[in-house]
Amino acid sequence: MKRLDQTMTPLFTALKDYHSKNVIPFDVPGHKHGVGLRELADFIGDRVLEVDVNSMKCLDNLSNPIGVIAEAEELAADAYWADYAYFMVNGTTAAVQAMIMSVCEPGDKIILPRNAHKSATSAIILSGAIPVYIQPEINEELGIAMGVSIQEIERAIGKHPDAKAIFLINPTYYGAISDLAGIVKIAHRNGIAVLVDEAHGAHMHFHPELPESAMSVGADMAAVSMHKTGGSLTQSSVLLVRDGIVDAKQVRTTINLTQTTSASYLLMTSLDVARKQLATNGQEMIENVLTLVRDARDKINKIDGLYAFGKELIDTPGVYDFDETKLGINVRKLGLTGYEVYDILRDEYNIQMELGDNYNVLAIVSLGDTKENLDKLVDALYDISIKHRRDEEIKLKKSILKNPDLIVAPRDAFYSTKHSILLEDAVGEISGESVMVYPLGIPIIVPGEKITKDIVEYIKFLKEEEVVLQGTQDPYVDYINVLGIE
């Protein structure tokens, strides 16, 4: 098959041509090339606002692309070995929702791990699908969920052969990879579509030493956060589709149900340019990323009390492969929680990590990182290991990441009559809303699930650690909505 010329940037080129013509704007947006919003223009630069424009003939329209946007999407599909690519400007959340809503009708079953992002839960509510949750493997020493096993997938299909789709994560937030190729074969043998949340894997397709991407192993759809590790602007994403089980035309129709009709050309052109960079120079750039992260991981592992986990986890439960660009660091032997180290790094060393949890902090190492900055992280961690170490290490607690009982379908629970009660009084009740930690965005409880004592205690612990919690109507999560009339 002849590949397309990946040096081309049709949308970006068209936008530059539009800008060069100095068109007089009597259309939206109302700031009119930044003239009407000088304070922002003075801070971020005139050109940014000069190219913040609306859809027009020369720039195509994302809702029905037949020009330069269509050409840019075709190049993206070619770069990722997909049949179709759709630009998304509502984030990968919208892409995940479009995947599930394209395949699942009300009442259809979808198999997915319990550590799926909240966007999958939202899509289940929107589509009316019935979730069949499977248990990801848990690394109790690290206190985190890994991938799912082939055996768990086979058991789920055996119990639910009528499932329409399997939803998987490739990779997990911490870099764990399931045997995606094996799962695709099993699913397709049973006529089940494979939908992949590849939010943290935009880069993997472009280097041979990284795990395989969803499209390269034959998955039916993949939601790819180009902005996370692919270099595009925040909120820009790509939804990749393979012809066959999935109807690509239906996917486009589904996207248009929820995606804005006023798509940002800043976001779309960043996708165009980021795709070109990955396709033409990605291997070299990612080679540099791997060199940096491997060096940092080696140095961190020489610091007493720290463990930067990596490819040695391969062949442990739930880890078929591992994305080395995820620099997860276990800190519990310092006597500190990951939440504490996260705050110390930010407050005392001006270093922003991606997240902290009970036992770990996570750094995402990607195209824009430098040796200087990684050395600063290593030096800060060494400093923390001396200045902040406590005598007693954090004791391991058995993970509570076991599936709560689903009593009511999420869509039905979401639309049911609810009332608010104190969190500590909610044990045994059916939740009417989600509770999740952010970042991660993985729900602790979702609508329709039974609230247990362990879940209440875990949420209270997170509040004590001043972790950012989301999902409840009460911003402080002192109260939670449960099903039923008060």
Side-chain angles (χ1 to χ4, degrees):
M1 176 181 172
K2 184 178 179 181
R3 313 307 300 189
L4 301 181
D5 181 1
Q6 289 291 336
T7 65
M8 303 294 287
T9 52
L11 181 55
F12 182 45
T13 300
L15 187 64
K16 288 190 291 184
D17 182 59
Y18 168 85
H19 180 263
S20 70
K21 293 177 179 176
N22 199 25
V23 173
I24 298 171
F26 284 108
D27 59 350
V28 296
H31 62 68
K32 303 301 175 79
H33 295 180
V35 175
L37 197 59
R38 286 312 315 165
E39 184 176 1
L40 183 61
D42 290 343
F43 178 70
I44 66 174
D46 287 338
R47 183 168 295 179
V48 175
L49 293 180
E50 287 167 2
V51 295
D52 178 37
V53 296
N54 190 36
S55 300
M56 57 195 76
K57 283 186 178 180
C58 64
L59 294 178
D60 208 359
N61 188 302
L62 185 59
S63 296
N64 183 34
I66 56 175
V68 290
I69 294 175
E71 292 173 22
E73 289 181 331
E74 187 178 1
L75 283 160
D78 180 74
Y80 277 98
W81 302 356
D83 292 321
Y84 299 92
Y86 301 120
F87 283 3
M88 307 295 297
V89 295
N90 292 22
T92 303
T93 290
V96 168
Q97 291 171 352
M99 283 200 301
I100 293 174
M101 292 168 66
S102 296
V103 173
C104 294
E105 298 177 2
D108 286 342
K109 294 177 183 176
I110 179 169
I111 298 168
L112 73 164
R114 191 56 182 75
N115 61 329
H117 187 263
K118 73 166 187 174
S119 56
T121 304
S122 300
I124 286 168
I125 292 170
L126 290 168
S127 66
I130 305 299
V132 175
Y133 286 118
I134 54 177
Q135 185 63 46
E137 299 293 331
I138 306 297
N139 185 310
E140 296 290 354
E141 188 70 22
L142 297 176
I144 56 178
M146 298 303 194
V148 296
S149 68
I150 288 278
Q151 293 75 21
E152 188 74 5
I153 293 291
E154 288 177 325
R155 278 194 292 269
I157 293 175
K159 291 180 180 178
H160 305 276
D162 55 341
K164 283 291 186 71
I166 295 173
F167 181 88
L168 297 168
I169 307 164
N170 190 56
T172 66
Y173 223 132
Y174 291 94
I177 299 283
S178 304
D179 182 1
L180 189 56
I183 293 170
V184 167
K185 289 178 183 177
I186 293 168
H188 286 177
R189 194 162 60 235
N190 289 274
I192 299 172
V194 177
L195 319 179
V196 182
D197 178 351
E198 213 157 52
H200 289 272
H203 59 297
M204 295 195 310
H205 186 76
F206 300 97
H207 196 284
E209 294 180 32
L210 289 175
E212 292 182 298
S213 68
M215 286 294 110
S216 68
V217 299
D220 298 287
M221 285 197 276
V224 180
S225 281
M226 287 286 281
H227 70 93
K228 284 187 171 69
T229 60
S232 66
L233 294 181
T234 295
Q235 201 175 309
S236 60
S237 180
V238 176
L239 177 53
L240 305 172
V241 181
R242 182 180 303 283
D243 255 337
I245 296 176
V246 173
D247 181 350
K249 292 180 180 178
Q250 179 62 32
V251 175
R252 170 72 80 185
T253 300
T254 305
I255 290 170
N256 285 341
L257 285 176
T258 57
Q259 179 147 264
T260 178
T261 56
S262 301
S264 166
Y265 279 84
L266 294 171
L267 300 184
M268 289 189 290
T269 52
S270 78
L271 287 170
D272 200 18
V273 177
R275 179 271 314 154
K276 173 191 172 182
Q277 178 174 262
L278 285 171
T280 61
N281 199 33
Q283 182 165 332
E284 181 180 343
M285 296 181 76
I286 295 168
E287 183 71 32
N288 180 61
V289 172
L290 289 172
T291 299
L292 292 176
V293 76
R294 288 166 179 169
D295 179 63
R297 186 174 272 113
D298 289 343
K299 289 176 178 176
I300 292 167
N301 280 329
K302 292 174 182 175
I303 300 173
D304 184 40
L306 296 181
Y307 169 40
F309 47 93
K311 293 191 77 171
E312 74 283 352
L313 294 178
I314 292 174
D315 293 332
T316 62
V319 189
Y320 178 80
D321 204 346
F322 189 84
D323 175 13
E324 295 179 77
T325 69
K326 308 299 186 291
L327 183 56
I329 305 155
N330 189 270
V331 299
R332 72 175 186 86
K333 290 186 177 180
L334 296 181
L336 301 168
T337 67
Y339 302 119
E340 290 175 307
V341 173
Y342 175 95
D343 287 339
I344 293 168
L345 284 167
R346 179 67 182 86
D347 296 341
E348 297 185 23
Y349 299 91
N350 205 33
I351 293 174
Q352 181 63 59
M353 300 295 276
E354 174 67 13
L355 63 86
D357 63 28
N358 287 7
Y359 311 128
N360 312 283
V361 289
L362 175 67
I364 304 293
V365 186
S366 58
L367 307 177
D369 282 303
T370 64
K371 184 178 187 304
E372 178 186 12
N373 284 346
L374 279 162
D375 285 345
K376 287 180 179 178
L377 173 60
V378 173
D379 291 344
L381 290 168
Y382 177 75
D383 208 35
I384 290 169
S385 75
I386 296 172
K387 292 181 179 178
H388 294 274
R389 181 191 293 267
R390 297 193 182 111
D391 292 336
E392 189 173 340
E393 66 184 48
I394 299 293
K395 292 181 180 179
L396 287 168
K397 299 177 182 178
K398 186 170 179 60
S399 170
I400 66 154
L401 295 174
K402 301 299 180 184
N403 298 352
D405 291 332
L406 182 68
I407 309 300
V408 178
R411 183 187 181 99
D412 293 340
F414 182 83
Y415 287 109
S416 292
T417 300
K418 296 179 277 289
H419 66 279
S420 179
I421 62 174
L422 284 167
L423 177 65
E424 52 260 38
D425 295 337
V427 176
E429 300 284 349
I430 299 171
S431 182
E433 55 189 350
S434 296
V435 182
M436 67 205 73
V437 177
Y438 229 89
L440 264 136
I442 297 170
I444 300 164
I445 191 81
V446 302
E449 291 180 336
K450 190 174 185 178
I451 301 169
T452 64
K453 181 179 178 181
D454 284 345
I455 286 172
V456 170
E457 292 301 317
Y458 184 54
I459 293 171
K460 288 167 70 176
F461 163 74
L462 294 172
K463 290 174 62 179
E464 289 168 3
E465 293 289 327
E466 298 183 348
V467 175
V468 176
L469 294 171
Q470 294 184 358
T472 53
Q473 290 183 1
D474 173 17
Y476 304 104
V477 201
D478 294 325
Y479 292 82
I480 187 169
N481 284 339
V482 296
L483 267 58
I485 300 172
E486 190 172 8

